[in-house]
Amino acid sequence: MADRRYWLFKSEPTEYSFSDLLAEQDQTAEWDGIRNYQVRNMMRDEMKVGDGVLFYHSSAAPMAVIGTAQIVKEAYPDSTAWAPGDKHFDPKSTPDNPVWLMVDIQAGKTFSRPVTLQEIKAHPALQNMMLARRGMRLSIQPVAKEEWDELARLGG
DNA sequence: GCCAACGTTGGC
DNA sequence: GCCAACGTTGGC
């Protein structure tokens, strides 16, 4: 796929871990709860089936990329926005006029070792990743093909 | 627990 | 439309 894009998805493993994804039926999950317009727009406008995903554990020990996944369903309305009592409930979004979107991802490879944030920051070819830069808090971030290739190599 | 770096909200 | 106050994220 010539125009395949690459992404990094952050998740706190105490909320949702890569192991949780592996335990899902078909190892596939809805990536719901995104409530940031910049991330929503990337999902809506740029994310395609087949795109690569680096699965990153934040606020964890270790903070690291620990596996890959791929997009298996493109952006569609996030129904948790109008689920009463849901953690991500947002009255702005309704079934008739959905504001928030989600995608589905399926687990790919489990890395043979975690590639830590520390290592990424120290790596000449990776230290320009958004993840390694100060103040870049987007929960989904674009990744360059070269970065994807190098991380996949390091994670073996 | 701290706090920098954001994004969002709401008064004006 | 401006911008101060507030809330959140997430590494440290």
Side-chain angles (χ1 to χ4, degrees):
Chain A
M1 212 176 308
D3 60 347
R4 188 185 193 203
R5 293 179 197 255
Y6 302 92
W7 309 94
L8 181 142
F9 281 36
K10 278 195 270 193
S11 187
E12 295 191 25
T14 53
E15 293 290 316
Y16 193 86
S17 70
F18 193 67
S19 298
D20 292 330
L21 178 60
L22 292 173
E24 302 274 6
Q25 179 158 14
D26 299 327
Q27 301 189 334
T28 297
E30 299 178 335
W31 204 258
D32 60 24
I34 296 292
R35 297 292 180 269
N36 173 284
Y37 287 103
Q38 208 175 333
V39 173
R40 180 205 65 181
N41 294 347
M42 285 194 297
M43 289 198 298
R44 183 190 60 197
D45 301 334
E46 300 178 48
M47 236 174 251
K48 302 294 181 203
V49 167
D51 282 4
V53 172
L54 296 168
F55 201 106
Y56 175 77
H57 279 174
S58 64
S59 299
M63 293 179 280
V65 176
I66 61 159
T68 68
Q70 50 272 336
I71 306 296
V72 291
K73 184 173 179 179
E74 285 165 23
Y76 63 105
D78 180 349
S79 55
T80 66
W82 51 79
D86 190 278
K87 183 181 177 186
H88 301 291
F89 176 78
D90 184 349
K92 283 196 298 291
S93 192
T94 64
D96 287 340
N97 192 16
V99 173
W100 301 116
L101 305 173
M102 59 186 172
V103 297
D104 289 1
I105 66 170
Q106 181 174 38
K109 290 183 61 176
T110 303
F111 279 4
S112 58
R113 67 175 183 91
V115 181
T116 64
L117 178 62
Q118 190 180 15
E119 182 176 357
I120 289 167
K121 283 183 163 177
H123 192 303
L126 299 177
Q127 60 195 196
N128 284 329
M129 289 180 70
M130 206 178 279
L131 182 70
R133 300 210 306 268
R134 187 161 186 69
M136 291 296 185
R137 299 174 312 156
L138 294 183
S139 60
I140 293 179
Q141 308 176 351
V143 171
K145 180 179 190 311
E146 296 72 23
E147 294 164 347
W148 166 275
D149 289 344
E150 181 62 6
L151 268 155
R153 191 184 71 78
L154 292 170

